[in-house]
Amino acid sequence: MAEATTRAKIQRFGSYLSGMIMPNIGAFIAWGLITALFIPDGWFPNEKLATLVGPMITYLLPLLIGFTGGRLVYDFRGGVLGAIATMGVIVGAEIPMFLGAMIMGPLAGFAMKLVDGGFQHRIRPGFEMLYNNFSAGILGAFLAGISVYFVGPLVNALTNALASGVEVIVSMGLLPLASIIIEPAKILFLNNAINHGILSPLGVEQAASAGKSVLFLLESNPGPGLGILLAFSVFGKGISKSSAPGAAIIQFLGGIHEIYFPYVLMRPMLLLAVIAGGISGVFTFTLFNAGLVATPSPGSIFALMALTPPGNYPGVILGVVIAAAVSFAIASVVLKTSKAEEEEDLTAAANRMQEMKGKKSDATGYLTPQPAAGVIGDTSEKNLASDNTQAVQSAPVRSAHEIKKVVFACDAGMGSSAMGASLLRNKFKKAQIDIPVSNTAINQIPEDADVVVTHKDLTDRAKAKLPQAEHISVENFMNSPEYDKLAQRLKDQGE
Amino acid sequence: MAKPVLSKENIKLNVAIPNKNEAIRYTGDILVQGGYVDAGYIEKMYEREQMATTYMGNYLAIPHGTEDAKQNVLETGISVVTVPNGVDFGDGNIAKILIGIAGKGDEHLGILSNIAIVCSEEENIDKILNATSEEEIMELFSEVQ
């Protein structure tokens, strides 16, 4: 039992990470395309368009991640706080702060949730708006301010530690082992200090005397990342699968390695794959005594080829290919073993308008197998049950905040649904649940409805219309126990 | 000139109605008489009842037309009929309060919402059934807001 819970926790954590990253993959790809095409070393250098590159990776992507992370914890309000706090991390550090965003986003959302929990019920009617805006503003300013001061030194310390680690390894001549530090450092954007601070200067020295250096290949080898993306292309599912081939092109041909970072971030086990890929690549390079004449930038296969001195092609190419193959093999195993649960998420998530919502409800889904759209009469029980069996911390990110819209539906939308909706609205009001309840004809159930309530005779039609929503079937519209059940559930989890 | 959704003329108290079909016809007739719907609407009310009962619980039934019956609705309106002896709406459901509904837009939703909230309390059901005048009903249904 304890094992199962730990496993569930880890899975939850994994799907949580992917919940922050996946919805934003589009932004990563947009950035990757612009970078690969328009930077000075790109395919169509364009100074004007290249000015997008820096701000996008420094601000846009971390802010999106921070927002999404906050939103996972505490809905839109949490998202806003997440973005504010992430801004502090961005300003405090000099590197793109994906990791910082992934930490501060949810943390800020959680902080807002705590503050609201302590204050919101004491706010007098009429002052809610004032409270809502100022509490978020004050807390956000505070968190952003703190981040500015704490993150910079933290990042610097980490970078220095990593850099000295690499320095030791290089000086001891254990080059392949440098990948153990370099590959994870890349994912955290801490690679530049290593690459430009240590590897490049040493490499330039070597190249000056020997005409080439293997050190230029350590960080720039596109093989490990390619392996990850290929593994996603084959064994991934949903968005991660469909976006991976395009990302592979941007990464391998365009040399924009950052594009595969989110794929690794959402499944940290994949670090093993890139590390092993890196090690085997470097090992191959040293075996063939291969090197480059200068630092390839960006780390595209074309740049690598262009900087390969005559006679070194077999070693360089083989090193890249082997790195990709090893990384692919391990990544495939990682993806396949954890596939049954989480991968399912992403597919389902892709089908939904709201990414996070889908992921979370499926996170419930795999723990308590249930049809895509269960009748809530019993699923609500199951959900509650699974809440209890899971980690306590799992409760905050679920259900209550997924449910943003409850819709009562009947055939014409003129009678029963209107009455049911007003009853439920009344119940919500009494329970201080701030979720809109509307009524409609079944044919016009809005796509974004999270819970659809219908008379038991009409539930099947409603399900056919909007299968992904949660469906509640009621018999007695005037006095259904389901109303109280739903209100109770939302209240419990919304607190 | 828009008619009031609910007027005194739309309320009939202490009516004896033998069965469900009569109940639907009776509530529908009030709407036809009041000029809220054309005669074809009643057919659609039967049709709707076939699809799923309009019995809501708490002795309340709300006969109304199907979605495509909206073309038969001239004005939005509701009728209220109290049947202290009850009408069998099937499945052992006895309706004592009948609310006929003809909805075109959303004007009736406010009052319908009041009806729902009022009727969700059992003691209010008794109040309605014991009402002696149409005004009482009008008052009951308009007081919550």
Side-chain angles (χ1 to χ4, degrees), chain B residues 57-132:
Chain B
N58 282 16
Y59 306 108
L60 175 71
I62 52 162
H64 57 271
T66 56
E67 189 180 13
D68 59 1
K70 286 190 179 170
Q71 61 195 13
N72 300 85
V73 180
L74 311 170
E75 298 270 359
T76 293
I78 66 174
S79 58
V80 178
V81 181
T82 64
V83 191
N85 290 329
V87 189
D88 186 355
F89 258 67
D91 293 334
N93 294 326
I94 305 296
K96 295 188 180 177
I97 301 169
L98 307 174
I99 313 279
I101 304 172
K104 201 181 174 105
D106 292 336
E107 309 94 284
H108 63 303
L109 295 186
I111 194 155
L112 206 56
S113 156
N114 289 347
I115 293 175
I117 291 167
V118 169
C119 293
S120 65
E121 313 265 338
E122 303 234 354
E123 71 256 30
N124 287 336
I125 302 279
D126 290 335
K127 267 196 217 163
I128 295 167
L129 291 175
N130 292 330
T132 49

Side-chain angles (χ1 to χ4, degrees), chain A residues 259-421:
Chain A
I259 200 94
Y260 77 81
F261 298 173
Y263 294 83
V264 177
L265 283 173
M266 68 190 195
R267 200 67 65 78
M269 280 290 282
L270 291 174
L271 276 175
L272 292 180
V274 282
I275 291 173
I279 290 178
S280 5
V282 178
F283 186 71
T284 313
F285 294 141
T286 48
L287 206 64
F288 280 77
N289 194 23
L292 298 182
V293 294
T295 298
S297 175
S300 141
I301 188 67
F302 297 133
L304 258 70
M305 292 295 98
L307 295 172
T308 306
N312 279 257
Y313 284 101
V316 171
I317 294 174
L318 213 59
V320 172
V321 170
I322 286 176
V326 170
S327 160
F328 173 79
I330 296 178
S332 303
V333 173
V334 171
L335 289 180
K336 278 178 103 170
T337 47
S338 51
K339 183 165 165 174
E341 301 90 5
E342 278 177 67
E343 292 288 315
E344 198 52 41
D345 288 0
L346 294 177
T347 320
N351 292 337
R352 297 171 196 211
M353 304 287 282
Q354 284 163 308
E355 184 78 24
M356 284 157 287
K357 180 182 73 179
K359 190 190 62 58
K360 278 184 288 172
S361 44
D362 272 16
T364 325
Y366 65 68
L367 288 164
T368 54
Q370 65 187 51
V375 175
I376 225 280
D378 55 39
T379 50
S380 68
E381 305 272 335
K382 278 187 203 160
N383 284 341
L384 289 174
S386 75
D387 274 346
N388 295 338
T389 55
Q390 273 181 61
V392 183
Q393 82 215 47
S394 66
V397 291
R398 264 242 295 292
S399 290
H401 294 304
E402 281 165 46
I403 296 176
K404 299 188 191 68
K405 199 173 203 177
V406 176
V407 172
F408 253 89
C410 63
D411 176 64
M414 68 166 98
S416 11
S417 61
M419 298 185 98

Side-chain angles (χ1 to χ4, degrees), chain A residues 410-449:
Chain A
C410 63
D411 176 64
M414 68 166 98
S416 11
S417 61
M419 298 185 98
S422 45
L423 288 174
L424 193 57
R425 214 176 287 131
N426 205 32
K427 286 237 193 287
F428 278 11
K429 205 167 117 195
K430 281 183 187 152
Q432 294 183 325
I433 300 170
D434 187 23
I435 296 173
V437 181
S438 58
N439 71 289
T440 174
I442 285 181
N443 291 333
Q444 286 155 18
I445 296 176
E447 286 276 326
D448 59 346

Side-chain angles (χ1 to χ4, degrees), chain A residues 43-190:
Chain A
W43 292 332
F44 309 102
N46 181 320
E47 214 170 290
K48 188 99 184 151
L49 289 170
T51 55
L52 280 167
V53 171
M56 277 179 90
I57 195 157
T58 309
Y59 299 105
L60 176 70
L61 299 179
L63 284 175
L64 281 172
I65 292 174
F67 177 83
T68 314
R71 191 178 156 180
L72 277 174
V73 175
Y74 196 48
D75 207 358
F76 215 87
R77 196 161 154 76
V80 171
L81 262 287
I84 302 174
T86 301
M87 199 62 209
V89 186
I90 292 173
V91 173
E94 280 159 11
I95 54 165
M97 281 309 286
F98 288 20
L99 189 71
M102 290 174 83
I103 294 169
M104 282 316 286
L107 208 65
F110 187 65
M112 190 73 252
K113 191 179 151 93
L114 285 184
V115 170
D116 278 356
F119 286 103
Q120 213 160 35
H121 59 281
R122 292 187 210 155
I123 306 306
R124 292 204 198 143
F127 286 88
E128 294 94 342
M129 183 99 98
L130 194 68
Y131 164 77
N132 282 343
N133 290 335
F134 274 85
S135 59
I138 293 166
L139 182 65
F142 177 71
L143 290 174
I146 287 201
S147 305
V148 171
Y149 280 102
F150 279 85
V151 164
L154 210 67
V155 169
N156 282 340
L158 200 58
T159 311
N160 290 338
L162 291 173
S164 47
V166 171
E167 205 165 6
V168 169
I169 290 173
V170 172
S171 68
M172 287 169 67
L174 299 171
L175 278 189
L177 296 186
S179 296
I180 295 176
I181 294 177
I182 293 176
E183 295 298 334
K186 274 177 88 168
I187 308 296
L188 302 181
F189 286 87
L190 296 172

